[in-house]
Amino acid sequence: MKRALVYLDPAAVTDSLDLVDVASRMYGPDGCAIYGLCVGASEEAGHGVVDHLIRVDDDRIARHDIVNITNCIEELQDEYRFDAILVPATTFGRMLAPRAAMRLHVGLVADVTAVRCREDRIELVRPAFSGRMLASIVNRGRVPVMMSVRQNVFTHEPRHTRETRIVDFVPQRVRNSGVRLVERQKKTEAIDIRGSDVLVAGGGGVLRHFGRLEALAEELHGMVAASRRVVDSGVAPRHIQVGQSGKTVSPRLYIALGISGSIQHVVGLKKAEYVISVNSNRHAPICSLSDIVVEGDAREFIERMVERIGRGGPVPPDSRDTIHNLRNDGGTA
Amino acid sequence: MVKPVPDVESFVYDYERNVLVRDGVHEVLNPEDATALAIALEIKKASPETVIETVTTAPRGVVPHLEDLVRRGVDRATLISDPWFVGSDTYVTSRILARAVEDIPHDVVFSGTHTTDGGTSHVPPQLAEASSIAQMSNILDIDIATLTKECATVDVDGEDAVLRFEIDLPAVLSFQYAPRRKLPYISYEDLNRDVGDRIRIVTNDDLGFDRAEVGLEGSLTQVARVEVKRLERKDTLFVRNDDAGIEAVYRFLMHKGFLPS
């Protein structure tokens, strides 16, 4: 029986528990005992999902204390000899995993989005060049296999409830890490675009009118999202960014307004069921991924669409004919 | 810690051939490293006795980039370059950097959080671990007014909150991209200034690693293969932004259940 340690980030416990799916893919659904490591809080969430819940409740170790959490992982590795250590690629997970890998002298693969087992070796797939390419990485012999895992890519759907044993772990190697939290300001916009069925996303083409996206999102009961260009310009907050350096989303409907669709953006569109794009350039990369391309000005589209939805009612029969004739005519209608 | 990277924004995807076109792509300073450097230069402006030295691991071809940084206000640039180091993964790269940084007197190490090429974000935390000091990524801002040689106050972009930390120095502080923080322009008289004496090249003769510790051989991970991400082309309906086009979208939304029919 293999052993996998999953770090449960207190800021993203549910996402962390999805990493159990990664362990199942590597070792089979019943081939691996799951150890959850939980520092400071939220231990309830692991119940029934992990086999062993290792709790660290020590006043000297804050949840952001990467140095001492690394010390804990080192001690736990000495004791349990894990075959794999999985860390969610959260803000702090991405600081913890490299540090712990360095300490344990093992390789680390970042931001894993897929796992492939080939002839007895495990290949971990990650995006490179800002998501433009996929690299398959193998670990050279040493255990544990370590990785940080991109959030919202794997989903753990338990086949059965595990009997969870609680282990209260008292670390021996604690030192002053020299990092003190002095203030915590909760982000007011605690919305998560990943939970929305409909996303109305804006890019460079609507930079100056980004505020108008909200009206369309509201009509469709969706949320507003943004490309990196918009976020880097300071017009939209980073937590609504879609793409390689932002969030991976799987909405039913994605409306891309003034977004060219660089590959770094498109990799964030994991399984968008339908894509409608509005762009003045019909050769923009996003158009190839779209169900409908509206060729034209995105701002004007928003106004017209909001007005049309507001007016409501069925589609007049004559326009259905028009639409039928439009299909695959090369956009000249 | 700075690194020139290929300008990934100029990669073009060819849907017909399913390849990434990288012809003629030039190198730029990694954007987050530029932010870190811009902040360092702001600190130097406020406290002119500050000395800024950049450290880079790269082939020797990047020297013109480093000269450019010196002309923008950096005091010295160290380039770590050795044929043995080619193919090193982040574990090995961090060990190489840690050994080189040991020889450079410093109070703090600034870097970007991630690079646009590898994008692993491993090197800053691993350098810190190899040097037994603290590290923080995703820094939005540093309080220059209260910065001392012993302590820095930084704001960090966390999952659900902005967190303010006091961090004892030395530490590795890794910044997020901040477009408003730009590197200064090179003044006209500095455009062709000879800065060769400010560039130092460090090789393995200086660092003394065994052959088996570095490069592909010393790396703990190995790239098995690299492929271009396949993007599927859909059967797309093209419409214009006119009444018929709006009706087409409206009908689509209604058919798919996004609007009440």
Side-chain angles (χ1 to χ4, degrees), chain B residues 82-86 88 91-92 95-96 99 203-219:
Chain B
D82 195 290
W84 279 17
F85 298 163
V86 174
S88 298
Y91 172 84
V92 173
R95 293 189 64 208
I96 293 169
R99 203 172 280 186
T203 66
N204 195 46
D205 291 343
D206 306 295
L207 300 180
F209 283 98
D210 289 340
R211 184 74 186 93
E213 288 181 291
V214 292
L216 281 174
E217 207 180 330
S219 296

Side-chain angles (χ1 to χ4, degrees), chain B residues 57-68:
Chain B
T57 55
R60 293 195 183 209
V62 305
V63 166
H65 275 280
L66 302 180
E67 289 177 342
D68 182 80

Side-chain angles (χ1 to χ4, degrees), chain B:
Chain B
M1 202 154 62
V2 297
K3 183 183 186 188
V5 293
D7 181 11
V8 290
E9 295 302 326
S10 51
F11 286 13
V12 178
Y13 188 83
D14 182 335
Y15 283 88
E16 303 300 326
R17 296 184 295 146
N18 188 39
V19 293
L20 206 59
V21 182
R22 290 193 277 171
D23 297 346
V25 170
H26 61 290
E27 288 205 320
V28 294
L29 188 63
N30 181 51
E32 292 193 344
D33 298 351
T35 297
L37 190 53
I39 291 169
L41 288 165
E42 273 179 48
I43 292 168
K44 188 179 170 70
K45 204 171 175 185
S47 312
E49 73 283 5
T50 309
V51 176
I52 302 174
E53 174 152 358
T54 60
V55 183
T56 303
T57 55
R60 293 195 183 209
V62 305
V63 166
H65 275 280
L66 302 180
E67 289 177 342
D68 182 80
L69 298 182
V70 173
R71 293 189 186 107
R72 288 174 199 265
V74 166
D75 295 285
R76 282 191 297 269
T78 289
L79 172 62
I80 305 166
S81 198
D82 195 290
W84 279 17
F85 298 163
V86 174
S88 298
D89 68 358
T90 61
Y91 172 84
V92 173
T93 302
S94 307
R95 293 189 64 208
I96 293 169
L97 275 161
R99 203 172 280 186
V101 169
E102 256 175 42
D103 294 335
I104 301 171
H106 64 278
D107 300 300
V108 64
V109 178
F110 280 9
S111 73
T113 294
H114 81 296
T115 58
T116 50
D117 56 350
T120 62
S121 309
H122 287 177
V123 170
Q126 294 197 318
L127 168 66
E129 170 62 20
S131 310
S132 299
I133 55 176
Q135 186 270 341
M136 189 61 72
S137 294
N138 291 96
I139 296 178
L140 298 165
D141 209 351
I142 182 167
D143 187 353
I144 294 177
T146 61
L147 179 66
T148 66
K149 281 189 173 192
E150 288 76 38
C151 185
T153 303
V154 296
D155 288 338
V156 174
D157 188 11
E159 291 296 310
D160 54 358
V162 174
L163 308 161
R164 177 163 293 176
F165 290 99
E166 285 173 0
I167 302 177
D168 292 342
L169 303 182
V172 178
L173 304 182
S174 311
F175 291 85
Q176 231 177 46
Y177 180 57
R180 68 192 166 86
R181 291 192 136 126
K182 291 189 178 18
L183 288 177
Y185 291 108
I186 303 174
S187 64
Y188 182 73
E189 57 269 29
D190 280 349
L191 272 178
N192 295 310
R193 178 160 62 105
D194 181 11
V195 294
D197 60 332
R198 309 283 194 92
I199 312 284
R200 185 172 67 113
I201 294 180
V202 169
T203 66
N204 195 46
D205 291 343
D206 306 295
L207 300 180
F209 283 98
D210 289 340
R211 184 74 186 93
E213 288 181 291
V214 292
L216 281 174
E217 207 180 330
S219 296
L220 302 179
T221 52
Q222 192 183 333
V223 178
R225 92 185 68 95
V226 175
E227 57 206 294
V228 174
K229 195 178 164 64
R230 291 196 88 84
L231 297 175
E232 277 173 33
R233 187 189 277 272
K234 281 185 174 177
D235 186 13
T236 305
L237 167 67
F238 286 87
V239 299
R240 285 202 175 147
N241 202 357
D242 52 17
D243 286 347
I246 294 292
E247 283 310 320
V249 176
Y250 183 76
R251 181 174 175 229
F252 182 87
L253 294 175
M254 195 174 266
H255 269 217
K256 303 299 181 190
F258 296 106
L259 293 171
S261 50

Side-chain angles (χ1 to χ4, degrees), chain A residues 86-315:
Chain A
L86 315 177
V87 178
T90 54
T91 307
F92 283 87
R94 295 176 69 115
M95 294 183 229
L96 174 64
R99 186 142 207 152
M102 194 77 179
R103 181 74 61 86
L104 300 176
H105 305 288
V106 294
L108 173 68
V109 184
D111 244 336
V112 168
T113 55
V115 175
R116 293 181 194 143
C117 298
R118 284 182 194 231
E119 299 155 11
D120 251 16
R121 74 175 186 180
I122 296 168
E123 284 185 9
L124 303 170
V125 182
R126 68 172 305 264
F129 289 105
S130 297
R132 287 159 174 81
M133 306 191 101
L134 291 175
S136 302
I137 315 278
V138 291
N139 215 301
R140 296 184 64 191
R142 300 194 199 185
V143 286
V145 172
M146 264 199 86
M147 70 189 86
S148 66
V149 180
R150 190 163 174 86
Q151 287 176 273
N152 208 28
V153 171
F154 295 93
T155 312
H156 176 58
E157 280 155 11
R159 296 195 308 170
H160 57 266
T161 305
R162 293 178 192 244
E163 202 171 304
T164 304
R165 198 168 69 85
I166 306 283
V167 182
D168 280 311
F169 177 70
V170 182
Q172 302 301 309
R173 299 169 212 158
V174 181
R175 68 175 174 95
N176 176 15
S177 63
V179 176
R180 295 170 294 281
L181 179 67
V182 289
E183 198 182 316
R184 183 173 189 279
Q185 202 149 39
K186 199 157 171 56
K187 290 179 183 168
T188 44
E189 332 78 350
I191 55 157
D192 190 346
I193 55 169
R194 294 173 300 181
S196 185
D197 262 357
V198 176
L199 287 177
V200 177
V206 286
L207 202 55
R208 287 188 299 132
H209 314 289
F210 194 78
R212 289 301 298 152
L213 267 65
E214 191 60 49
L216 182 57
E218 205 170 289
E219 291 289 354
L220 294 165
H221 306 288
M223 287 182 183
V224 172
S227 75
R228 191 173 92 187
R229 182 157 164 218
V230 173
V231 172
D232 280 353
S233 310
V235 171
R238 193 160 297 276
H239 70 268
I240 67 164
Q241 183 187 326
V242 171
Q244 169 64 15
S245 48
K247 289 190 167 134
T248 306
V249 295
S250 320
R252 278 196 65 222
L253 172 66
Y254 191 80
I255 302 187
L257 302 163
I259 293 178
S260 66
S262 71
I263 298 169
Q264 99 83 27
H265 184 81
V266 169
V267 289
L269 285 177
K270 191 184 152 204
K271 287 176 197 149
E273 199 175 339
Y274 304 111
V275 177
I276 297 175
S277 59
V278 184
N279 212 295
S280 50
N281 172 14
R282 64 193 307 267
H283 299 293
I286 191 113
C287 298
S288 305
L289 309 172
S290 303
D291 296 276
I292 301 182
V293 172
V294 181
E295 205 179 339
D297 177 67
R299 190 198 174 193
E300 195 186 320
F301 171 82
I302 296 171
E303 306 305 340
R304 298 182 77 134
M305 206 64 228
V306 168
E307 189 275 326
R308 180 64 190 90
I309 295 170
R311 185 149 43 89
V315 185

